[in-house]
Amino acid sequence: MKFGMRPPSLKRSISARTTGRLKREVKSAIIPGYGKKGMGWIKNPKKALYNKVYHKTTFSIFDLFKLFK
C-alpha cells in the first residue's frame, strides 16, 4: 500500500474532465446501479476496500495547493 503523494497523471486528469454527460446518461440507462453510491462494495468489495484505504493514505499534488489558499 502506498503512503504519501500520488504521482500525477496528465492522461487520467484530462480523461476525468472530458468524459461526457451523454456517456454517463447512456450507461446509467443501460446498467442498473451505475453511478449509485455504494455499488463498488457490491460489485468488487476487495477493490472497494483497497481504494478506500488508498485514498485515505495518499494525497495529490493539487491537494497541496488547496492547503495554501
Side-chain angles (χ1 to χ4, degrees):
M1 181 57 63
K2 183 168 176 58
F3 294 95
M5 191 176 84
R6 292 189 296 270
S9 171
L10 185 62
K11 182 180 177 182
R12 288 181 183 177
S13 181
I14 292 170
S15 176
R17 287 167 175 79
T18 57
T19 299
R21 188 183 78 189
L22 181 64
K23 182 178 179 180
R24 290 192 304 272
E25 285 179 10
V26 169
K27 277 190 157 185
S28 65
I30 296 171
I31 304 168
Y34 174 81
K36 302 289 189 289
K37 189 174 175 77
M39 290 305 291
W41 286 100
I42 295 167
K43 189 174 180 183
N44 192 344
K46 187 176 179 181
K47 184 176 180 181
L49 178 64
Y50 175 88
N51 287 337
K52 184 172 182 125
V53 173
Y54 179 80
H55 283 99
K56 284 181 179 279
T57 58
T58 61
F59 59 90
S60 169
I61 191 165
F62 302 111
D63 292 339
L64 294 175
F65 295 123
K66 292 176 187 175
L67 289 174
F68 299 115
K69 265 190 164 179

